Amino acid sequence: MIHSLFLVNSSGDIFLEKHWKSVVSRSVCDYFFEAQERASEPENVPPVIPTPHHYLISVLRHRIYFVAVIQSEVPPLFVIEFLHRVVDTFQDYFGLCTEAAIKDNVVVVYELLEEMLDNGFPLATESNILKELIKPPTILRTVVNTITGSTNVGEQLPTGQLSVVPWRRTGVKYTNNEAYFDVVEEIDAIIDKSGSTITAEIQGVIDACVKLTGMPDLTLSFMNPRLLDDVSFHPCVRFKRWEAERILSFIPPDGNFRLLSYHVSSQNLVAIPVYVKHNITFREGSSQGRFELTLGPKQTMGKAVESVLVSSQLPRGVLNANLNASQGTYTFDPVTKLLTWDVGKINPQKLPSLKGSMSLQAGASKPDENPTIIIQFKIQQMAISGLKVNRLDMYGEKYKPFKGIKYMTKAGKFQTGMQRPHVSCVKA
Amino acid sequence: MLDSNKDSLKLEAMKRIVAMIARGKNASDLFPAVVKNVACKNIEVKKLVYVYLVRYAEEQQDLALLSISTFQRGLKDPNQLIRASALRVLSSIRVTIIVPIMMLAIKEAASDMSPYVRKTAAHAIPKLYSLDPEQKDQLIEVIEKLLADKTTLVAGSVVMAFEEVCPERIDLIHKNYRKLCNLLIDVEEWGQVVIINMLTRYARTQFLNPNVNVKSDLIKSNPLGEKAFYGSDDEEGKEEKAEAAALAKRKPYVMDPDHRLLLRNTKPLLQSRNAAVVMAVAQLYFHLAPKAEVGVIAKALVRLMRSHSEVQYVVLQNVATMTIKRRGMFEPYLKSFYIRSTDPTQIKILKLEVLTNLANETNISTILREFQTYIKSMDKDFVAATIQAIGRCATNIGEVRDTCLNGLVQLLSNRDELVVAESVVVIKKLLQMQPEQHSDIIKHMAKLTDNIQVPMARASILWLIGEYCEHVPKIAPDVLRKMAKTFTNEEDIVKLQIINLAAKLYLTNSKQTKLLTQYVLNLAKYDQNYDIRDRARFIRQLIVPTDKSGALSKYAKKLFLALKPAPVLESPFKDRDHFQLGSLSHLLNAKAGGYQELPDWPETAPDPSVRNVEVPEWTKCSSREKRKEKKVEKPFYSDSEEESGPTESADSESDSASGSGSGSESEESGSGSESEESREESESEQEDKEDEEDKRKKKKKTDRGKVKAPAVESPERFFFIFSRFRFLILEVQRLASDSCSLRTSCRRWHKKTIAPSGSVKTYELLHRITGEGLGVEYCFSRQPFSPDAHMVAVQIMFTNNTNAETKNLHVEDPKLQSGMRIKEFPEIELLPPGEMVTVVMGIDFCDSTQAANFQLCTHIRKFFVSIQPPVGELMMPVFMTENEFKKEQGQLMGMNEISEKLTLGEKCQNEHGIVQRVTSAANVSRVPCGSDKECRFAGKTVSSGILVLVTVATKEERAAQLTVNCEKMVIGTMLVKDILQALTQ
């Protein structure tokens, strides 16, 4: 399966290597660098690169390439999924998965990789088990360790792997028993210039933070489970129960985990919470262009739209932009031609707008007037699909836990601005 | 620092070394210093030493050997996790010398009682295989053993090992198929992927194509359908499915229940959070499911599109392949494949591919509209791909060809050279398909030459006009005229095409263009570019007739105006589905190393009964014992279908005759009862007699000692055996795979006659079918073997089921492990038909559970047989007092003690139950004990006389702790396992 792993940073240096079978020379990465050079953008490096003797499968996260070396047939998704799991684990352990964090914790990283794969086949990937094997570093522990010389490696050998509930460690104890659930929904939409929706879908996740003593058995039910069209579960969820009763029944892992991700059925109309009006014009022959952009809330059920960020890739011919924002700040990068406007909160009484002029390269022909505009925003305390958790019950333990549920809506891949031809060009 | 006494210093040193390794620096010089610390007590130091060792052992083989003993010790540790980690590191050291040690360790770990250790053993198998492929046969044995394992923990790993070592041995899967299907949902996610992929291959070899008789309108629906139709002609109509395939047109296809089981059990996994699992299920459905059911995977695959771009990349590749064959599946999700400006180019291009494949008459207008937006994108590679996609839509869907062409023609005025060039190329391709209808477009393009400046586009237009000058006879010369005017200012490629055009026109319409052509050729003659000069010279010689013109000029027309084949616009994903979807090979469209071909469906289904799981011999016995009391076994018959309706008397009779098998054998039971019907009613009376007879005889026998043929006494008895025998032959003729009813009934006689304790299990040595009528069974009588005290007495019972005499039964050619000895039984000169005879032989197993192999010879045949003792039979009871017991136990602490917690089974909660279970599992005797919470047993091994002490301490509820003290670790471990099983049942 996975032969070796190389970590490559954005400047093309291999800063970590790990081999699970016999050692593969790092020169194998030359093929990867070749492909990297050929690709115009960092994310355009093909995930699978065949070389004469090996195959390189890579993922890019946090501007680090994780390059796995494979020698024989293996489902590529298997490797990709595993590499992402590795990154998630690092993130879980070090908070950030940057080159510096990995370099600082190189020993822990090595121990983790050693536990996660045996002979290239995944062994322990559940973070609960890993945390029992190798304790995550904290500042306090680092200090204590240097003084006392004690270790990061768990004294006790893990039990989770042997139990029937491999995702949960045994003997969990808390004084405050809490269970928090965050329902986070993202809207993916493509909206054309006139404001009509081309596609819009809602993708949601329920992230949980469960800190409960013992072996609790939880059930979570929804007011309107029919909204959920397509779901994928954490392995702890009992699938049969969901099929039969539309109830989530599970013994949770300890700590943070993603309980469920779902897709809201596309039959339901998606309420788009914001609208954008923009007008960008260039006159032929002139070196000036006009820019106007206004944002406004739409169907938000009285909730405020926050952390709004607008970004747009302006045409190549634009040299500079001289704009005036009614609120927030904007930046224009003359090299990448990327305009970003950090709006903040939208006040329905006074709609934020960005107006001004753009200067064009002399002699350049009239650029395209419809750049794509990408919008990010957040709406607290609302799930845009209308999904509501009905109740959360706990069985198997006697204490009363503290329960909390939070809703949030975010923009996922939300883009607008591209003009779509209105009248279909097809007569047939 | 490594030599320091302080762990903290050692740790610090090791951390630095590991950091060096991580950076790829060579740290092999430190090997001797590091390897010393392998026995360090500190866990973290130890772990880091392991990391180091595994990395460098290959380079420093001799020094690495120093560490081996530590691991060997670790393998015997009572803690399962230490055993596992020792095995893991041991097997990761790639040093050829230790192959035998690894082999032994793996074998031992494969029968370890801890599933975690067994899992590690499964992981170790591919490691050993890659180190020394010659071990393959032995490893396959281990794999076979582990495949039978019932825990989810092991399943994934062992299938992985199977795939790496012996993927061709599909026969090993038969027996485990149903179990794997049922366990699947509980296996960890990585194991699921491997199992699903393996089962896909398996199902392709074992089941029939479910789409065989679906008349498909899609591209090459099923080339196999017809083959199955003819192929099954010579098959006997044994199986329903074979018939179904043969009568495909009349009878509906019946899916094998096992095939259905697989589909049913994998479906929930589409909901997995792991993309690899979802993909694995998707490919399974794509390759195995009936057409109507494949649709379910679309939704899950579309969900994966939300994931990381690498995942999207792989999923889209697979979706692209699927959309070619099953377009309808993804049509409802069309919008999910719309392209976002933030997608990486490679994703955009794949999405385009999918959109193009999905295009049909109804949705083409929306798709084209979407495409038009894409053309405005700033990503030029993507724009080019879009234009090509439009071209493909146009070729696939006739209705929109004109629209597409018009759209593309408009694009010709685009500012971007790339767009124009690409459009011209695509238009050229489109026009080549049906130039007759598009003379107006060619005209239009001819007009464009005035405006378009992009040389590539100009060149393409000129080529088009030249090629189809017959369709535009009026315009072509005019274009040439214009071009001739601007010739000197044109780019080189355009100049070449002007010459080309001129030549073609000269050949078709020389009247109008003769002068123009000559003018152009003259201009070209003095061009700066030698290519153009050459071309002009060449063409002049070819087309302008002169005195010297060679033979070629006759063919000039043929050369220039030959019909050029239209380029084919098809998806690069066409035909990729001959690779298993989701595989690396599919992604690369090239066979990757180690890729296992996905076999075609068989023409007729192989025998499905191979997957029937036979209940192991000992369970049959125990279940029989349990049910002995029950008079009528209803569920026993409830499933039998062929049975026309067994009467009550037949029921009770067969019950008493067979003593019933376990419920899972309903199929065989059906056949058994059927044959019994053929017998007279009077039999049941006889049966009662027989029972009494039995009891009487039992008494007699016990008095008379063991080694004697039981029959030949009363005529009644004789008659009974005879009738039984007739029945037997019937059975044999039916070739029913297993008629346990008879065997168990025979067995019961032995039991009653020979082993009065009733707790002795019999094992089969030779099945009466393989033995051609000679059935041989054996049991461990637990009597001391008088000729040699170091041997275990094995009682062997021969039954002659034929109607001919069997002569000269004796043992020959024993093949024994070193140290093992065998004391043969005296030759049996004659065994009349229907008779049975019992003999005793002695085997010194040397305190191991290795099988004793030998040949069993009759006057005509030889049979290879083997006797494998359960560990509990390798010992004999020792009588000792409580104090002696405690003293001995005190000396066998630490490594020699193995204890395990358990929950007592329902039937052995009291002391009596425990004693009975333990003594039946092992030949030990009870030791008196003061506490009523403990039961103690003692025994010693027969061969070397090593003490074996067993303690069962009961606690609250049904919890208990089992402790075994024995110097021989292997015996101890295995005994714990056996007793545990006996107590928990």
Side-chain angles (χ1 to χ4, degrees):
Chain A
M1 289 247 149
I2 299 171
H3 229 92
S4 308
L5 176 71
F6 295 98
L7 266 54
V8 180
N9 63 14
S10 45
S11 54
D13 297 325
I14 302 170
F15 66 93
L16 190 120
E17 60 179 75
K18 169 91 182 101
H19 307 274
W20 283 276
K21 298 184 184 179
S22 40
V23 179
V24 179
S25 156
R26 55 164 69 192
S27 62
V28 76
C29 286
D30 292 349
Y31 295 99
F32 177 78
F33 297 135
E34 240 169 65
Q36 200 184 7
E37 261 169 48
R38 245 179 282 129
S40 49
E41 302 277 322
E43 61 266 30
N44 271 342
V45 178
V48 182
I49 303 166
T51 77
H53 299 289
H54 301 92
Y55 303 93
L56 305 178
I57 298 186
S58 60
V59 304
L60 172 68
R61 294 261 310 256
H62 310 283
R63 299 171 61 204
I64 300 173
Y65 288 99
F66 292 76
V67 186
V69 182
I70 310 294
Q71 207 157 32
S72 58
E73 171 64 47
V74 58
L77 267 186
F78 186 97
V79 182
I80 291 171
E81 182 77 25
F82 176 79
L83 292 176
H84 281 299
R85 210 58 77 75
V86 169
V87 182
D88 292 343
T89 313
F90 287 171
Q91 219 167 352
D92 196 25
Y93 264 75
F94 315 128
L96 274 172
C97 181
T98 58
E99 188 185 346
I102 291 175
K103 275 184 174 165
D104 288 347
N105 298 292
V106 72
V107 176
V108 181
V109 166
Y110 234 68
E111 283 168 344
L112 281 173
L113 290 176
E114 185 73 26
E115 288 302 333
M116 290 179 87
L117 279 182
D118 180 17
N119 194 35
F121 190 77
L123 194 65
T125 48
E126 282 296 333
S127 95
N128 262 256
I129 295 173
L130 286 171
K131 283 194 174 157
E132 268 186 279
L133 287 164
I134 302 150
K135 298 215 174 82
T138 58
I139 296 166
L140 182 70
R141 192 172 295 126
T142 326
V143 175
V144 173
N145 284 358
T146 38
I147 296 165
T148 59
S150 61
T151 67
N152 270 336
V153 173
E155 301 285 322
Q156 293 286 312
L157 289 149
T159 44
Q161 205 150 21
L162 309 167
S163 75
V164 274
V165 221
W167 53 85
R168 188 177 177 86
R169 58 197 181 95
T170 47
V172 184
K173 274 207 178 93
Y174 289 102
T175 41
N176 299 325
N177 288 298
E178 313 163 303
Y180 296 107
F181 294 88
D182 291 357
V183 180
V184 181
E185 294 193 340
E186 289 190 1
I187 307 175
D188 288 1
I190 305 178
I191 295 167
D192 77 0
K193 200 187 171 189
S194 63
S196 58
T197 311
I198 305 294
T199 65
E201 335 176 274
I202 299 174
Q203 314 279 349
V205 291
I206 299 183
D207 283 331
C209 175
V210 177
K211 294 180 174 173
L212 296 174
T213 308
M215 271 284 172
D217 197 335
L218 303 178
T219 55
L220 186 81
S221 62
F222 297 102
M223 304 271 261
N224 38 8
R226 286 215 182 145
L227 274 177
L228 307 184
D229 177 41
D230 183 37
V231 281
S232 72
F233 301 116
H234 188 272
C236 68
V237 177
R238 297 184 180 100
F239 183 72
K240 292 240 165 76
R241 195 88 196 268
W242 170 258
E243 284 283 272
E245 305 167 55
R246 298 272 143 180
I247 283 176
L248 292 174
S249 156
F250 55 96
I251 295 174
D254 185 44
N256 293 311
F257 67 101
R258 175 157 295 177
L259 178 66
L260 167 81
S261 24
Y262 61 88
H263 176 98
V264 174
S265 58
S266 40
Q267 279 80 26
N268 297 35
L269 276 179
V270 178
I272 304 293
V274 289
Y275 69 86
V276 180
K277 271 189 202 158
H278 71 285
N279 191 13
I280 300 165
T281 47
F282 301 103
R283 250 172 303 149
E284 193 74 59
S286 147
S287 63
Q288 289 287 314
R290 270 169 48 75
F291 184 97
E292 257 187 67
L293 198 149
T294 317
L295 282 171
K298 222 173 151 185
Q299 298 161 308
T300 59
M301 292 176 241
K303 302 279 189 322
V305 183
E306 296 167 19
S307 324
V308 182
L309 188 78
V310 180
S311 57
S312 177
Q313 182 80 46
L314 294 185
R316 230 169 272 159
V318 177
L319 272 184
N320 212 340
N322 190 9
L323 305 172
N324 193 5
S326 70
Q327 74 178 80
T329 51
Y330 82 94
T331 52
F332 177 73
D333 186 342
V335 181
T336 57
K337 315 288 181 202
L338 188 73
L339 174 77
T340 44
W341 176 29
D342 190 351
V343 184
K345 201 167 164 179
I346 295 181
N347 182 356
Q349 271 76 48
K350 191 170 166 283
L351 297 178
S353 65
L354 186 67
K355 284 177 193 164
S357 61
M358 292 172 290
S359 52
L360 292 181
Q361 212 163 7
S365 48
K366 187 181 155 219
D368 184 29
E369 292 183 339
N370 292 300
T372 325
I373 297 165
I374 294 158
I375 303 165
Q376 288 167 328
F377 57 84
K378 264 185 206 168
I379 306 170
Q380 301 283 357
Q381 297 162 333
M382 182 183 81
I384 196 86
S385 66
L387 187 78
K388 275 236 150 59
V389 173
N390 186 18
R391 53 183 298 145
L392 176 75
D393 296 306
M394 188 180 72
Y395 304 96
E397 297 287 335
K398 293 188 178 73
Y399 57 85
K400 280 230 158 157
F402 182 80
K403 299 175 269 192
I405 288 173
K406 206 166 76 182
Y407 297 93
M408 185 159 68
T409 301
K410 280 201 282 190
K413 296 169 181 165
F414 197 100
Q415 72 175 57
T416 176
M418 291 275 258
Q419 189 173 24
R420 260 131 184 115
H422 278 291
V423 187
S424 153
C425 53
V426 182
K427 279 158 239 159
Chain B
M1 283 205 282
L2 284 168
D3 299 325
S4 151
N5 288 327
K6 277 193 187 158
D7 279 352
S8 58
L9 277 174
K10 278 186 189 171
L11 186 62
E12 192 51 41
M14 279 316 296
K15 278 185 175 172
R16 284 188 201 173
I17 294 171
V18 168
M20 272 171 79
I21 299 175
R23 260 179 271 126
K25 301 247 162 58
N26 190 356
S28 57
D29 305 342
L30 300 164
F31 201 93
V34 175
V35 88
K36 275 193 305 207
N37 289 307
V38 76
C40 178
K41 288 278 180 294
N42 182 309
I43 299 180
E44 187 162 20
V45 174
K46 207 175 199 170
K47 272 195 174 170
L48 295 177
V49 172
Y50 284 177
V51 169
Y52 182 90
L53 201 58
V54 172
R55 172 70 177 76
Y56 287 110
E58 215 169 350
E59 297 169 21
Q60 309 258 351
Q61 305 227 346
D62 295 340
L63 284 169
L65 291 178
L66 295 175
S67 60
I68 302 296
S69 62
T70 321
F71 301 123
Q72 277 181 303
R73 222 175 306 134
L75 285 172
K76 304 221 160 66
D77 196 281
N79 185 325
Q80 47 178 346
L81 290 155
I82 293 178
R83 285 203 300 278
S85 87
L87 178 61
R88 205 180 137 193
V89 182
L90 180 69
S91 55
S92 299
I93 296 175
R94 288 169 295 272
V95 176
T96 338
I97 307 171
I98 62 163
V99 164
I101 301 177
M102 272 163 79
M103 192 68 223
L104 258 177
I106 290 175
K107 275 187 179 165
E108 203 156 301
S111 45
D112 197 284
M113 52 196 285
S114 152
Y116 186 64
V117 179
R118 294 201 297 273
K119 182 189 174 75
T120 320
H123 275 287
I125 291 169
K127 297 185 206 169
L128 179 55
Y129 179 64
S130 65
L131 191 60
D132 182 10
E134 282 177 17
Q135 305 290 326
K136 188 173 174 179
D137 292 339
Q138 287 197 59
L139 287 174
I140 290 177
E141 275 172 39
V142 183
I143 290 174
E144 195 173 358
K145 187 171 178 186
L146 285 172
L147 273 173
D149 205 296
K150 286 188 179 58
T151 49
T152 52
L153 206 55
V154 186
S157 308
V158 69
V159 172
M160 181 66 233
F162 170 84
E163 289 283 80
E164 291 225 341
V165 179
C166 52
E168 70 285 352
R169 288 289 304 275
I170 209 86
D171 55 299
L172 296 180
I173 303 298
H174 291 321
K175 292 268 178 242
N176 303 298
Y177 172 81
R178 287 177 193 156
K179 186 194 70 196
L180 283 174
C181 284
N182 288 322
L183 287 184
L184 195 58
I185 196 147
D186 294 322
V187 176
E188 36 89 40
E189 16 187 22
W190 309 109
Q192 284 172 345
V193 178
V194 180
I195 295 178
I196 293 171
N197 279 325
M198 186 274 291
L199 288 179
T200 309
R201 240 175 346 105
Y202 178 84
R204 269 295 185 101
T205 59
Q206 300 299 318
F207 306 127
L208 288 176
N209 188 348
N211 298 323
V212 129
N213 40 5
V214 180
K215 282 261 172 192
S216 168
D217 47 353
L218 284 171
I219 328 150
K220 41 169 187 158
S221 63
N222 272 310
L224 275 171
E226 273 189 326
K227 277 191 211 158
F229 183 83
Y230 295 116
S232 54
D233 279 356
D234 48 351
E235 256 309 296
E236 285 163 273
K238 266 195 243 163
E239 294 150 47
E240 234 180 65
K241 277 176 290 135
E243 279 173 24
L247 307 169
K249 296 223 165 80
R250 273 176 287 153
K251 261 192 184 176
Y253 156 85
V254 181
M255 190 186 266
D256 190 300
D258 288 330
H259 191 170
R260 173 54 63 205
L261 176 80
L262 178 63
L263 291 177
R264 200 177 48 229
N265 283 344
T266 47
K267 196 173 169 189
L269 293 177
L270 283 174
Q271 246 77 48
S272 171
R273 62 163 174 178
N274 186 323
V277 176
V278 176
M279 190 63 231
V281 179
Q283 65 84 21
L284 181 130
Y285 262 75
F286 182 79
H287 289 301
L288 299 179
K291 275 215 172 63
E293 292 169 43
V294 181
V296 296
I297 63 175
K299 198 189 264 182
L301 287 177
V302 169
R303 166 162 41 84
L304 292 187
M305 304 267 306
R306 279 274 303 166
S307 193
H308 303 284
S309 78
E310 294 87 4
V311 176
Q312 277 187 44
Y313 177 80
V314 178
V315 172
L316 281 169
Q317 294 252 3
N318 286 296
V319 170
T321 308
M322 288 185 200
T323 46
I324 287 174
K325 264 208 154 174
R326 310 255 164 93
R327 183 199 290 157
M329 202 161 89
F330 287 97
E331 259 170 38
Y333 304 99
L334 183 72
K335 285 190 170 177
S336 310
F337 297 102
Y338 279 8
I339 291 151
R340 296 164 196 285
S341 56
T342 44
D343 289 332
T345 311
Q346 44 186 350
I347 301 290
K348 285 180 184 163
I349 289 172
L350 282 170
K351 279 187 174 173
L352 260 186
E353 178 67 39
V354 173
L355 286 175
T356 315
N357 289 341
L358 289 178
N360 62 13
E361 285 80 1
T362 50
N363 59 20
I364 184 69
S365 61
T366 34
I367 290 183
L368 280 182
R369 198 155 47 132
E370 207 40 43
F371 281 178
Q372 281 191 307
T373 333
Y374 301 160
I375 288 168
K376 294 188 187 131
S377 163
M378 288 185 220
D379 186 342
K380 293 307 162 204
D381 292 341
F382 169 55
V383 174
T386 310
I387 294 167
Q388 280 177 357
I390 295 174
R392 260 182 52 209
C393 286
T395 46
N396 295 341
I397 302 161
E399 285 93 332
V400 294
R401 195 165 293 156
D402 297 344
T403 331
C404 289
L405 262 177
N406 285 333
L408 288 170
V409 169
Q410 280 168 27
L411 284 180
L412 291 178
S413 50
N414 197 298
R415 243 173 290 113
D416 199 296
E417 189 175 324
L418 210 131
V419 174
V420 176
E422 204 66 47
S423 326
V424 169
V425 172
V426 173
I427 292 175
K428 205 171 83 183
K429 284 178 184 166
L430 286 179
L431 288 183
Q432 263 183 293
M433 286 176 180
Q434 29 176 214
E436 308 78 29
Q437 297 157 25
H438 293 291
S439 49
D440 51 333
I441 288 180
I442 299 175
K443 278 179 203 155
H444 177 77
M445 288 179 72
K447 279 180 211 153
L448 281 173
T449 46
D450 296 343
N451 304 325
I452 290 183
Q453 297 306 320
V454 181
M456 183 65 205
R458 286 176 80 90
S460 292
I461 295 170
L462 290 177
W463 182 89
L464 262 177
I465 294 171
E467 189 64 31
Y468 303 114
C469 50
E470 292 122 2
H471 302 292
V472 282
K474 290 191 180 134
I475 294 170
D478 197 42
V479 172
L480 183 63
R481 184 183 56 82
K482 282 185 191 165
M483 287 296 135
K485 236 198 280 182
T486 54
F487 186 84
T488 41
N489 301 326
E490 295 290 349
E491 289 276 330
D492 290 348
I493 41 166
V494 185
K495 284 179 181 169
L496 284 175
Q497 287 306 325
I498 295 173
I499 299 171
N500 233 342
L501 173 68
K504 281 175 186 167
L505 285 176
Y506 182 88
L507 290 170
T508 51
N509 187 2
S510 61
K511 212 190 271 173
Q512 277 188 315
T513 56
K514 193 174 177 186
L515 289 172
L516 266 176
T517 311
Q518 276 176 350
Y519 174 67
V520 168
L521 288 176
N522 281 334
L523 283 178
K525 199 173 166 185
Y526 301 107
D527 199 270
Q528 284 182 327
N529 188 303
Y530 53 82
D531 261 349
I532 295 169
R533 293 198 301 271
D534 281 357
R535 179 74 65 93
R537 220 167 285 142
F538 158 72
I539 285 179
R540 186 191 294 270
Q541 288 303 316
L542 200 60
I543 59 172
V544 183
T546 55
D547 322 332
K548 290 181 278 174
S549 67
L552 264 179
S553 58
K554 281 180 224 159
Y555 301 104
K557 212 163 182 170
K558 264 194 185 161
L559 278 174
F560 281 102
L561 298 176
L563 202 63
K564 276 91 178 169
V568 191
L569 297 174
E570 63 175 18
S571 167
F573 288 89
K574 199 168 176 255
D575 289 342
R576 267 216 205 171
D577 62 331
H578 63 269
F579 287 115
Q580 189 167 0
L581 284 180
S583 67
L584 185 62
S585 307
H586 169 264
L587 187 83
L588 300 168
N589 201 13
K591 213 165 158 184
Y595 173 73
Q596 293 290 319
E597 290 276 358
L598 191 62
D600 270 335
W601 295 100
E603 291 173 11
T604 49
D607 185 9
S609 64
V610 287
R611 285 183 295 277
N612 292 345
V613 181
E614 214 176 323
V615 179
E617 205 68 23
W618 57 268
T619 10
K620 272 188 205 163
C621 292
S622 57
S623 67
R624 191 184 63 80
E625 272 165 12
K626 269 186 241 158
R627 295 180 186 200
K628 218 177 203 170
E629 279 77 36
K630 291 191 194 163
K631 250 307 169 204
V632 183
E633 285 278 352
K634 273 291 175 198
F636 189 64
Y637 287 108
S638 59
D639 288 344
S640 63
E641 282 158 27
E642 322 111 279
E643 185 52 59
S644 52
T647 55
E648 191 60 39
S649 65
D651 247 357
S652 59
E653 186 248 64
S654 74
D655 178 49
S656 53
S658 65
S660 126
S662 64
S664 63
E665 285 175 316
S666 49
E667 284 164 49
E668 288 106 88
S669 69
S671 63
S673 60
E674 195 182 22
S675 65
E676 268 152 357
E677 243 190 338
S678 61
R679 285 204 266 158
E680 284 101 324
E681 280 284 16
S682 60
E683 287 251 347
S684 60
E685 291 167 39
Q686 217 162 21
E687 200 65 37
D688 294 338
K689 277 187 207 159
E690 184 256 341
D691 267 339
E692 284 167 35
E693 194 71 39
D694 254 14
K695 280 173 209 153
R696 198 147 40 88
K697 223 167 334 115
K698 181 176 137 192
K699 260 190 213 158
K700 277 189 199 165
K701 284 282 156 178
T702 37
D703 296 341
R704 247 195 281 147
K706 271 108 211 157
V707 196
K708 207 167 178 202
V712 209
E713 303 166 341
S714 61
E716 257 175 64
R717 173 90 196 154
F718 201 141
F719 173 73
F720 173 70
I721 289 176
F722 216 86
S723 68
R724 203 33 86 83
F725 185 51
R726 210 179 62 213
F727 169 35
L728 232 173
I729 290 187
L730 261 176
E731 274 286 311
V732 174
Q733 281 168 345
R734 301 177 102 256
L735 277 175
S737 63
D738 180 9
S739 111
C740 86
S741 55
L742 275 175
R743 254 190 302 130
T744 37
S745 71
C746 294
R747 201 173 300 149
R748 200 172 53 167
W749 300 342
H750 310 319
K751 212 157 279 172
K752 282 180 180 167
T753 49
I754 294 151
S757 71
S759 60
V760 178
K761 290 170 189 164
T762 48
Y763 305 85
E764 187 166 82
L765 192 60
L766 189 64
H767 192 271
R768 65 191 154 72
I769 289 172
T770 37
E772 293 169 3
L774 181 71
V776 188
E777 296 183 322
Y778 65 94
C779 67
F780 297 92
S781 64
R782 297 196 169 179
Q783 305 292 330
F785 188 66
S786 44
D788 187 334
H790 292 300
M791 286 187 175
V792 179
V794 185
Q795 207 156 47
I796 301 178
M797 291 140 282
F798 298 91
T799 320
N800 186 354
N801 296 321
T802 59
N803 41 12
E805 289 174 340
T806 304
K807 292 177 198 161
N808 299 39
L809 269 169
H810 65 279
V811 169
E812 225 177 57
D813 193 16
K815 282 204 183 66
L816 303 171
Q817 302 279 333
S818 63
M820 274 165 71
R821 291 173 301 136
I822 200 164
K823 173 85 180 144
E824 296 157 19
F825 56 86
E827 184 174 313
I828 303 167
E829 282 171 3
L830 183 75
L831 185 60
E835 284 295 326
M836 67 168 8
V837 68
T838 305
V839 292
V840 174
M841 67 189 279
I843 304 174
D844 181 357
F845 286 106
C846 274
D847 295 347
S848 82
T849 50
Q850 298 282 351
N853 301 307
F854 53 89
Q855 281 181 15
L856 205 57
C857 308
T858 67
H859 63 298
I860 37 171
R861 283 289 315 262
K862 289 180 179 179
F863 304 103
F864 286 95
V865 292
S866 70
I867 293 180
Q868 186 166 25
V871 68
E873 304 296 348
L874 294 175
M875 46 197 75
M876 54 194 191
V878 171
F879 298 96
M880 55 169 72
T881 63
E882 192 174 352
N883 284 338
E884 278 173 345
F885 185 90
K886 281 186 175 160
K887 196 177 129 206
E888 294 291 348
Q889 199 177 24
Q891 286 172 0
L892 291 169
M893 298 302 277
M895 294 253 298
N896 297 324
E897 184 176 274
I898 304 165
S899 58
E900 194 74 22
K901 289 203 173 84
L902 67 142
T903 316
L904 291 173
E906 275 180 34
K907 293 204 173 149
C908 53
Q909 288 184 47
N910 56 2
E911 195 186 280
H912 176 70
I914 293 172
V915 173
Q916 202 178 25
R917 293 290 168 124
V918 173
T919 49
S920 72
N923 192 12
V924 287
S925 68
R926 180 124 193 244
V927 175
C929 172
S931 148
D932 59 346
K933 291 270 184 220
E934 271 192 1
C935 295
R936 292 173 183 161
F937 307 88
K940 64 176 186 187
T941 59
V942 177
S943 180
S944 46
I946 292 162
L947 271 183
V948 181
L949 307 178
V950 181
T951 318
V952 181
T954 51
K955 291 171 186 164
E956 279 114 54
E957 307 254 308
R958 281 155 62 182
Q961 175 148 11
L962 169 68
T963 312
V964 171
N965 301 71
C966 179
E967 212 170 288
K968 286 217 168 184
M969 295 285 302
V970 190
I971 294 214
T973 335
M974 291 170 80
L975 189 62
V976 166
K977 201 169 123 193
D978 282 5
I979 297 180
L980 206 64
Q981 195 160 31
L983 285 177
T984 46
Q985 258 172 19

